[in-house]
Amino acid sequence: MEIVRPGQVAVFAKDLDSGAPCDTDGRPFADAAQATCVIFDSLSAAQAFAEATLAKAPGMRLDIFDAAGRANPPLVTLLHPSRARDADTHPRVLRKRQIIAWALIAAGIPLIVFAYLEHERREIILPAFLGINMLLAAGRLLWFNLGIRETERARRERLRRHDGRSGTASS
């Protein structure tokens, strides 16, 4: 990223299924150390390139980074529209994860209450174990959602600062 000047952006391509770096035609590199990027003077030019590239090779993920490089999350991540609904940051995926978490909480609490009320019996071990693990899993899912939302908020702020600095307008 030392060759990217302030105001410029770099586009990196990854195979969506394997996560391996690939070229802009979707072909994986033989050696990950050979991974390259495409540098643009403006974010809008990079986005136009990425959209055209994804139209030809829908199995890729294109990340657009600013001059800071991979020290921060990408300014923009683009996927083919047919694959965008499966991204971790898609609102449908966030909502699904939240519903699963609350269902785990709703199922875990009665198990823990049952184990507490029946604490003199030996059969409470399994309900207590399951209830506690359900609450822990729910907490992990909610924490993951919170992390994604915070990362997205920070990304939007960086994108806003980048747009203000370069004088371009994009979403």
Side-chain angles (χ1 to χ4, degrees), residues 66-137:
D66 60 3
R70 293 181 182 256
N72 295 312
L75 286 175
V76 179
T77 297
L78 293 162
L79 303 169
H80 190 270
S82 67
R83 306 284 298 264
R85 290 180 53 119
D86 298 330
D88 282 340
T89 58
H90 193 277
R92 184 180 64 87
V93 174
L94 290 170
R95 181 76 178 141
K96 180 180 176 183
R97 204 178 294 122
Q98 185 178 28
I99 289 170
I100 292 170
W102 286 109
L104 287 169
I105 290 170
I109 289 175
L111 289 172
I112 292 172
V113 169
F114 170 77
Y116 177 76
L117 294 176
E118 300 291 328
H119 69 278
E120 294 178 5
R121 294 182 33 197
R122 189 174 189 180
E123 296 84 27
I124 65 157
I125 294 172
L126 183 61
F129 176 78
L130 290 175
I132 290 169
N133 279 294
M134 287 175 154
L135 292 181
L136 290 173

Side-chain angles (χ1 to χ4, degrees), residues 23-99:
D23 64 13
T24 55
D25 293 324
R27 292 184 302 265
F29 292 106
D31 181 14
Q34 295 175 334
T36 60
C37 64
V38 182
I39 299 173
F40 293 91
D41 288 327
S42 71
L43 182 60
S44 59
Q47 286 178 311
F49 168 79
E51 289 168 2
T53 300
L54 288 171
K56 293 184 289 182
M60 288 191 315
R61 166 187 165 152
L62 296 172
D63 294 323
I64 302 175
F65 290 90
D66 60 3
R70 293 181 182 256
N72 295 312
L75 286 175
V76 179
T77 297
L78 293 162
L79 303 169
H80 190 270
S82 67
R83 306 284 298 264
R85 290 180 53 119
D86 298 330
D88 282 340
T89 58
H90 193 277
R92 184 180 64 87
V93 174
L94 290 170
R95 181 76 178 141
K96 180 180 176 183
R97 204 178 294 122
Q98 185 178 28
I99 289 170

